[in-house]
Each structure stands twice: as C-alpha cells, then as structure tokens.
Amino acid sequence: MAMTTNFKRCLLLAVVVIFTLTVGVQRGLPKFLTLGHFCQSNSIPATLSTNLQDDLRINRKVMLTNPLKDILEGANHTQMNGGPDETEQQVIKIFSEVDKLMPKVTFTHLDSTTCTEKSKVSILSPKERYCIGDEVTVQLDMHDYLGNRKKYGGDMLRARIYSPDLMAGASGRITDLHNGTYHVQFTLFWAGIVKISLFLIHPSEAVATLWRARHSGFKYVAHKVKFINATHSIEAKCAYDLDTEEEVCNIMENRDEYPFYCIRPAHMPCATITQMTSYFTHESYFTDLERPLFDRSRIRAAIPHGLQDLNVIQCSNEAAPAKEKCRTGMKHEVPAGYFLQNVWHPVYCSMNRFPSLEDKNGCLKGKSLHLIGDSTMVQWNTFLTGRISTLKEIDLYGEGWQRNRLLVDLDRNIQLRFQKHGNPFVFLIYYSILENPILPEMIARVGGNKNTVITFTVGAHFRLYPLHLFIRRALNIRKALQELLLRSPETKVVLKTENTSSEPENFEAMSDFHGYIQYQILNSLLKDLKIGIVDAWDMTTAFATNNMHPPQNVVENEINLFFTFLC
C-alpha cells in the first residue's frame, strides 16, 4: 500500500512538473521544433514536455527500435519481477520524445549535405546603429555542395557575438524553421563594435548518423575490474551488455540503475571487486558513406557571412535597473549571461566577485562543501586550492586526478571534499570503486543543514554510452535532490553543467552533440528545483574556449557565480 501511494505521489509530481515546464516553454518558444532549436534553446521543447505529459497520463507504450531494447528492457524486466518500473517508463518516454526531434535524413552522396561555403547569411531589418538591449535576428539559408537550397533542418549550429577589444562575448538563440532556414537571435548587451560568429558543428546528415550510432551499442569503451583477496589478484571483463555464460557480479545491484555485470572468477566472491579501469576500443558504427561527414574540415566549420560589424551605442542615460543577487531557485535563461572585460554578467541576477582571500574565506567559513563530478570539477578544486592558501589538503592516498580529495581550514571550520560521480566513469588506469557510490547515492547520504553545500557536474563520461543511461541517472539525481531538499531545505545545491569541447579525435563517441542533448535534459529535469545553475555550457560558448577544460578566467567566473549562490 505504501509503495502504491508513493507511486501515485511521484506520478502526480511528475505531471505537475512537466506541466509547469510546458507552460514556461510555450510562452517563449515555437510549439514545433527540431534539433536546430533543441540544441540551442534553454529547455526541452514544448513538444517534448507536452507529449511526455500525455504519455504519463495515458501510459502509452513506447517501443524502441534498436538493439538496446532487449538489453535495457530485459534487464529491468528481471529486476522488477516482470515489468519495467516507473523510472524505466519515464526513461523510455523521454528517449522517445527526444528521438522525435532528431532529423531522419539519408543521403547517397556528400554533395547533397549541408555546405557552409554555399549557404547564405543576412540580417533581418538591419540598422546603421543599435542600442544596448536591442535584439538582432540573423537568417541562415543553408545550401548543399551543389548550391541547392536545403529543404529540411536539423543542422547543429553554434552562434556567438563578440568584441575582442572589450573581451566580450555572448551566445545566440537559434530557431530551426524546418525548411533549411534558421533564425539566430542575439541580444546586444554592451556598447561597441560587435562581430558575429556562426559555426556549423554538424550538418543534419551527421546529426542523424551520430544519433543512430550512439544507440547501436556499448562498444566505444570497454571495462575491466580486479578481484583481490589475500592471495590472488584476478582481472575480469565488465560491461552493460556483457555476453557470457559464466557467473557474473552486478556492481549496480540494489540500485535504481541499469545492471553493470562483471565476470566472476572461480572462488572469488563479488565482494572482492576493488578496482576498475577502462580503455577505448576504437570501434565505429559509421558506414563508409557516413565516415567522410566527420572529416576535420567538416566539424565545427565556420559559416562565412560577409556581414558588417554591428555598431552598438548607449542610447539612454538612465542607469539599468539593479538586479537581485543570484540565489538558488531563480529562473534559468539562455543566454544565461555575457562576458565583458572577461567578467561574466548573468542576465537574470547580480554576481559578486570575491576578489580577496578574506572575501573567499568569509564566504566559506563554517561550510562543508561536497564537490562531485569529473575532471572539470577537479578544475574547481585545483583553482580553490591555489587561491585559498588557508585550505590544507589531507592526503587520502590514491593516484591520479580522480582520487578522493579532502581540504580543511581548521581555524574557519571549512571542509571541502571532491569525489568522482561514480560509474560509468572512464579512467585509463585502475582506480578504487569502493569509496565512491554513484551521484544519487552520494546525495542520499547527505543529511544536510544550512552549512552544507553540494555542487556537482555529470555528463562528459556518459557521452560514450547510449542516452538511456544518462536519462535514468538524471531522473535518479532529481529524485535524490527532491528528498534532500525536503529533509533539509537550507542545504545549498548548485549544478555546474557540461562544458563545450574541442571536438576531439574520437568525435563519434565524444561529440558536443551528445553533450548538448544531455545538457538540455538535465537542465529541464532540475530547473524547477530550488538549486543554482552555473551554466558552464553557455559560458564556454560565449567565451569560445572550445576546450573541455577552459582557461582559468572562465573557471574563476564559474566559481564566483557558485560563491554568489552560497553567500
């Protein structure tokens, strides 16, 4: 009876949350969208929210049409005694709605794919001068290599305005009109000469290829663990889709997650698994026809436009109205802000600077901070260590950047801990898996109070796996945060989103396309909670770092925004 009541409550909460998201989105976005908008807007589009709400109401069954169906549904049928659980129903529905937004295009020759050199760019209703606060709309009409106008959308684009002399930059909002035309809307935040930058990250044909490939299997990365007892150390293979007749251990047992199996050596109990490592397999799901779509020259290709720079002036002598200090629970927008003189200015609130050691120590005094994530969160840890000399690290042993870290300031009663977010976590040397549960479990173990702070990032390591894994993890993070904030409303929680990257050589698995889909899903699932959001994706886009590990001045702005949420 208690389980039935909880299910009804969770289901009602999900419908209410999704309805809230739908209303907010419908006020500011077109109702029917494709990937071009999905990959640049600030929430899951209205079609996703509306259809997901309908699915929850009528319990419509969604069938997956790829090899993951047997792996993922089969695993959950076993776990849930004959049927998928509530979380899995939501995973399938969210995946299905995202899938509807993906371009379903085929091609027989590269000449019919999107070509930046042949595409046309214009400004709608251009002016000789613009005022701060004005909006400018740029139209892109995409063509193929033969000069033919594209008749469908789905290109992944990135847009930015910038002023090099002012060290200023901001991202643009992109609307896909579904017919080969895109509108890019920029808000002019500062006075000066403003330049426009447009990039084709992937043409729609490549987007369709990446989407299909990601859900063709789990073969981009492989895993091994060590079973260790007093006399033996034995390596064994692990995988989400482990194909074996041997006995196995599930290291995700008793967790609301997909099983992750390891072959169990004879006479070695599952409790003796201590360490894990990963390695890239260099497997590919691309066909010979698709592979040239991902030549380096075709990835993140600049779109030449010949547009004149924008002349922006201060048209009013009136001071801009003061903005409220950034606090957790504020509505999140995109663009989330802009850089000026290399300082981040949030659109919806005022950020403090914390320039001195005294300022930083004053903010952190008496606080217990949990930093959870990947190497981009280690950047935060390293930055704080370098700037706050009163923090002293306690050696917890271990090797590699992924090791657990603890820093303390006994005089000011400050504790700062870093932990990796848990499996899946791709690391190329053996590391301990015993001290680090997955992120939702870490959150669940925090009692919380007014001095407790949790900040986390998750996503980059999930790009190597089908999206179902990330969706389920995101839903479980949401559930854990809801419970934390229910038992301890004073606990401060801050999400740091994924960063943009440089489109590394293993782009098939690590493309920003995968990261941006995850970024949108996590933002949409968490944005109604009373948390702060450090939108690192928008910040790195505005700064044009093109590096998953951005420079120090970007990290400093991220941390200043984080501190502002706390103090």
Side-chain angles (χ1 to χ4, degrees):
M1 178 64 69
M3 290 183 64
T4 302
T5 302
N6 287 338
F7 175 83
K8 291 180 178 179
R9 288 176 178 172
C10 291
L11 191 60
L12 177 60
L13 176 61
V15 172
V16 171
V17 167
I18 293 165
F19 175 78
T20 303
L21 294 176
T22 303
V23 171
V25 172
Q26 287 177 332
R27 288 177 178 173
L29 297 178
K31 187 174 182 182
F32 300 102
L33 306 173
T34 61
L35 182 67
H37 200 127
F38 181 75
C39 285
Q40 297 295 338
S41 58
N42 72 318
S43 62
I44 291 180
T47 49
L48 175 56
S49 297
T50 302
N51 291 336
L52 180 54
Q53 183 184 355
D54 291 341
D55 287 345
L56 287 170
R57 184 184 301 115
I58 66 177
N59 196 29
R60 175 166 54 87
K61 186 175 182 182
V62 179
M63 297 300 294
L64 304 181
T65 57
N66 55 59
L68 297 179
K69 178 178 181 293
D70 293 334
I71 297 170
L72 301 181
E73 288 192 350
N76 279 279
H77 277 235
T78 301
Q79 288 183 321
M80 305 309 298
N81 299 319
D85 63 356
E86 179 196 4
T87 305
E88 182 61 7
Q89 291 178 41
Q90 294 181 55
V91 170
I92 295 173
K93 292 178 178 74
I94 292 174
F95 177 85
S96 176
E97 293 302 322
V98 175
D99 180 63
K100 292 176 185 177
L101 299 172
M102 297 299 122
K104 305 299 190 295
V105 297
T106 58
F107 67 101
T108 57
H109 197 281
L110 289 175
D111 284 348
S112 63
T113 65
T114 309
C115 174
T116 57
E117 296 290 336
K118 298 292 180 68
S119 297
K120 312 296 181 184
V121 183
S122 59
I123 295 179
L124 302 184
S125 303
K127 301 178 183 178
E128 290 187 7
R129 288 186 178 181
Y130 297 86
C131 297
I132 293 177
D134 283 353
E135 294 196 340
V136 174
T137 300
V138 175
Q139 179 167 306
L140 284 75
D141 296 298
M142 309 306 283
H143 292 66
D144 63 22
Y145 282 84
L146 298 176
N148 300 315
R149 193 179 185 283
K150 296 293 289 289
K151 296 181 180 179
Y152 51 85
D155 297 316
M156 183 177 179
L157 306 172
R158 188 168 295 161
R160 172 178 179 259
I161 52 173
Y162 65 105
S163 297
D165 294 343
L166 299 174
M167 294 177 285
S171 67
R173 300 179 297 277
I174 300 174
T175 302
D176 187 341
L177 302 184
H178 321 299
N179 58 3
T181 295
Y182 301 82
H183 283 170
V184 185
Q185 193 171 45
F186 296 105
T187 301
L188 303 176
F189 293 112
W190 63 88
I193 301 302
V194 176
K195 300 177 180 295
I196 296 173
S197 172
L198 304 167
F199 284 91
L200 175 66
I201 306 300
H202 295 297
S204 52
E205 296 81 10
V207 167
T209 298
L210 286 167
W211 181 249
R212 176 194 57 76
R214 182 175 185 179
H215 302 98
S216 295
F218 293 80
K219 303 303 184 184
Y220 292 132
V221 62
H223 309 273
K224 294 187 297 184
V225 293
K226 281 185 179 179
F227 289 76
I228 299 177
N229 63 19
T231 59
H232 292 82
S233 174
I234 303 175
E235 292 184 332
K237 181 180 178 182
C238 301
Y240 283 103
D241 60 340
L242 191 62
D243 184 13
T244 181
E245 297 297 323
E246 301 181 67
E247 290 191 33
V248 296
C249 300
N250 175 19
I251 68 171
M252 304 297 285
E253 190 173 8
N254 300 323
R255 302 173 179 180
D256 189 21
E257 295 280 340
Y258 295 117
F260 185 81
Y261 293 114
C262 302
I263 296 174
R264 186 177 75 82
H267 311 299
M268 297 292 278
C270 296
T272 58
I273 296 177
T274 59
Q275 296 178 319
M276 181 183 293
T277 188
S278 309
Y279 57 93
F280 298 112
T281 64
H282 305 293
E283 293 270 354
S284 174
Y285 296 108
F286 291 169
T287 67
D288 290 340
L289 176 63
E290 294 166 339
R291 197 162 285 111
L293 284 170
F294 300 92
D295 290 342
R296 175 60 64 181
S297 63
R298 297 175 186 266
I299 299 176
R300 198 178 176 275
I303 302 174
H305 53 68
L307 300 177
Q308 290 187 347
D309 295 340
L310 308 177
N311 183 14
V312 184
I313 62 174
Q314 178 71 56
C315 297
S316 173
N317 293 325
E318 295 182 9
K323 292 183 287 189
E324 184 181 356
K325 185 183 79 71
C326 301
R327 54 178 173 77
T328 56
M330 282 185 159
K331 179 183 177 181
H332 182 68
E333 302 176 359
V334 172
Y338 62 95
F339 280 102
L340 182 61
Q341 299 299 332
N342 279 345
V343 174
W344 182 249
H345 297 264
V347 168
Y348 57 93
C349 61
S350 175
M351 185 178 85
N352 296 333
R353 305 300 172 208
F354 304 94
S356 68
L357 174 61
E358 183 179 355
D359 294 325
K360 293 178 175 65
N361 276 330
C363 178
L364 297 185
K365 184 176 180 179
K367 289 184 171 56
S368 175
L369 289 85
H370 300 260
L371 277 61
I372 307 170
D374 52 31
S375 58
T376 65
M377 189 58 74
V378 172
Q379 276 195 289
W380 279 29
N381 182 282
T382 302
F383 182 91
L384 291 171
T385 304
R387 296 296 179 93
I388 306 179
S389 58
T390 55
L391 285 172
K392 305 300 180 184
E393 184 168 2
I394 297 176
D395 189 356
L396 300 180
Y397 309 105
E399 298 179 355
W401 62 260
Q402 49 70 46
R403 70 186 187 281
N404 289 349
R405 303 169 189 233
L406 173 62
L407 297 99
V408 298
D409 180 339
L410 296 179
D411 293 334
R412 296 168 183 82
N413 192 25
I414 301 171
Q415 300 178 52
L416 190 153
R417 305 169 185 270
F418 166 78
Q419 291 178 280
K420 54 188 175 291
H421 58 58
N423 195 56
F425 192 87
V426 179
F427 198 63
L428 304 184
I429 64 173
Y430 273 106
Y431 64 91
S432 173
I433 61 173
L434 298 180
E435 295 87 359
N436 291 103
I438 59 175
L439 176 56
E441 290 185 353
M442 293 187 211
I443 296 171
R445 295 178 184 182
V446 175
N449 54 47
K450 65 180 181 179
N451 296 316
T452 300
V453 179
I454 296 176
T455 183
F456 65 94
T457 188
V458 61
H461 290 245
F462 282 79
R463 295 187 188 187
L464 293 146
Y465 305 89
L467 186 63
H468 303 75
L469 271 68
F470 181 82
I471 296 173
R472 193 173 186 99
R473 184 64 52 85
L475 288 167
N476 286 332
I477 291 170
R478 175 184 169 81
K479 178 182 177 182
L481 289 176
Q482 286 178 304
E483 293 172 349
L484 169 65
L485 295 173
L486 179 63
R487 65 177 176 267
S488 177
E490 293 181 309
T491 298
K492 293 291 179 65
V493 178
V494 178
L495 162 66
K496 187 198 83 68
T497 71
E498 290 190 53
N499 302 335
T500 58
S501 71
S502 57
E503 296 293 341
E505 292 301 324
N506 57 338
F507 47 77
E508 180 174 345
M510 292 299 292
S511 169
D512 270 2
F513 163 73
H514 303 312
Y516 203 85
I517 300 298
Q518 295 173 171
Y519 159 83
Q520 292 285 18
I521 290 172
L522 191 61
N523 279 3
S524 296
L525 287 174
L526 302 186
K527 71 177 186 178
D528 67 307
L529 302 182
K530 190 181 177 183
I531 69 172
I533 297 179
V534 175
D535 196 334
W537 191 281
D538 194 52
M539 294 172 77
T540 50
T541 298
F543 201 84
T545 65
N546 302 316
N547 191 325
M548 192 168 284
H549 300 100
Q552 289 290 290
N553 49 2
V554 174
V555 175
E556 181 173 16
N557 279 283
E558 292 174 350
I559 289 177
N560 281 340
L561 181 53
F562 167 58
F563 275 24
T564 304
F565 286 126
L566 308 187
C567 306

